[in-house]
Amino acid sequence: MKQRIITGVVAAALFLPIVFYGGLPFVLLTYFLASVGLFELLKMKKLSIFSVHGLLALLFLWVILYPEQYDDLLNTFNYTKTEIGIVLILLLLAYTVITKNRFTFEDAGFSILSAIYVGIGFYFFIETRDAGIVYIFYSLFMIWATDSGAYFVGKATGKTKLWPEISPNKTVEGSLGGVICALLVAVLFAIFSEINASIISLMAITIVLSIFGQIGDLVQSAFKRHFNVKDSGNILPGHGGILDRFDSLLFVLPLLHLFHLW
């Protein structure tokens, strides 16, 4: 617990000033976090990011992450993100032939989907910060409330297993407790922040986001169980890897964007 607290304090001290500042430093931070997340996923499948296929997957991730606010720079080269991404996918598939299937079609598919999974979530991390810092803090506090509520309510009253094959300790009661705690956060943000939504609307949105945040957590648990690893990485002592900390956010932020709160 002591190690978790120390890591959390140090990470917050480094992370929060950049979040407040926004702009290019925040974009670069997001690129770094997403790159580490991709590294963690590829490592689970014993694919090195320090290789030709790893570099192609990383470039594909960076293309997905490319922020909308910098589109003018990309337009000067007369190419779109989609066109560049298609080329990188074709190169990954071609690499299966060059290596005579030592790098297989399955490996290529895993690399592509991993970049999409990590890239979409972190892309909307950038876009959400660009929309306003209040939406970043709403998302973070809503997820923390869900996680904390699920843990404490589940520990106190949990009896019905939620999905034991994937995460044996999670319970239905804990899951519902997490949603209720997230709703309290929604009420506070609706009253005291500048989020463009009524209390009822934000509560309805929060129920959906809290549920999908928990699904994001279960998705990461499923990955780790499938590949038989305890944590996605060890960059955050006491907390695991980047994906262990951002798994819920990767599901919440794209959905938050679809609700058009800004």
Side-chain angles (χ1 to χ4, degrees):
M1 179 60 71
K2 182 180 178 180
Q3 188 180 51
R4 287 177 63 88
I5 294 172
I6 292 173
T7 299
V9 171
V10 172
L14 296 173
F15 180 72
L16 289 178
I18 299 176
V19 174
F20 275 108
Y21 187 82
L24 184 59
F26 183 79
V27 171
L28 294 176
L29 172 65
T30 304
Y31 264 73
F32 170 74
L33 295 173
S35 299
V36 175
L38 179 63
F39 168 80
E40 291 172 352
L41 268 180
L42 294 182
K43 187 178 178 182
M44 287 186 199
K45 194 166 169 47
K46 296 181 171 54
L47 295 172
S48 174
I49 203 168
F50 305 107
S51 59
V52 173
H53 56 266
L55 178 60
L56 290 172
L58 185 63
L59 290 174
F60 184 47
L61 170 70
W62 288 356
V63 168
I64 295 171
L65 290 172
Y66 192 81
E68 186 176 313
Q69 58 187 301
Y70 298 115
D71 272 351
D72 288 343
L73 179 61
L74 192 62
N75 290 337
T76 60
F77 297 99
N78 203 29
Y79 286 104
T80 66
K81 286 173 58 172
T82 301
E83 290 169 341
I84 298 172
I86 289 172
V87 169
L88 290 169
I89 290 174
L90 293 176
L91 288 174
L92 267 170
L93 294 174
Y95 192 63
T96 64
V97 177
I98 295 172
T99 61
K100 298 179 180 178
N101 264 343
R102 289 192 301 276
F103 177 74
T104 66
F105 182 80
E106 180 185 350
D107 295 333
F110 182 87
S111 301
I112 292 166
L113 189 56
S114 294
I116 292 173
Y117 162 58
V118 175
I120 288 176
F122 278 109
Y123 168 78
F124 283 108
F125 196 34
I126 297 172
E127 294 300 310
T128 303
R129 176 60 187 88
D130 192 47
I133 195 169
V134 64
Y135 298 104
I136 291 289
F137 282 115
Y138 159 70
S139 301
L140 291 174
F141 279 106
M142 185 272 296
I143 289 171
W144 291 337
T146 298
D147 289 346
S148 299
Y151 176 77
F152 288 111
V153 173
K155 192 172 184 180
T157 65
K159 295 180 180 179
T160 309
K161 296 297 182 182
L162 179 65
W163 210 313
E165 296 85 0
I166 293 177
S167 189
N169 295 326
K170 296 188 188 303
T171 63
V172 173
E173 294 83 0
S175 177
L176 293 174
V179 173
I180 291 171
C181 289
L183 285 172
L184 296 177
V185 169
V187 171
L188 292 175
F189 269 85
I191 295 173
F192 296 109
S193 78
E194 298 178 355
I195 284 183
N196 184 29
S198 67
I199 291 180
I200 299 300
S201 296
L202 193 60
M203 288 178 69
I205 289 170
T206 298
I207 291 173
V208 176
L209 295 180
S210 180
I211 292 171
F212 272 88
Q214 294 183 62
I215 291 174
D217 182 46
L218 287 170
V219 166
Q220 187 59 27
S221 296
F223 287 160
K224 292 186 291 187
R225 184 165 290 272
H226 177 73
F227 291 108
N228 196 29
V229 296
K230 182 178 182 296
D231 296 314
S232 64
N234 54 15
I235 193 172
L236 300 171
H239 292 266
I242 293 299
L243 293 181
D244 292 313
R245 293 299 90 204
F246 284 84
D247 48 9
S248 296
L249 208 62
L250 294 181
F251 270 61
V252 165
L253 291 178
L255 287 175
L256 179 64
H257 180 81
L258 292 176
F259 283 117
H260 299 292
L261 284 180
W262 56 84

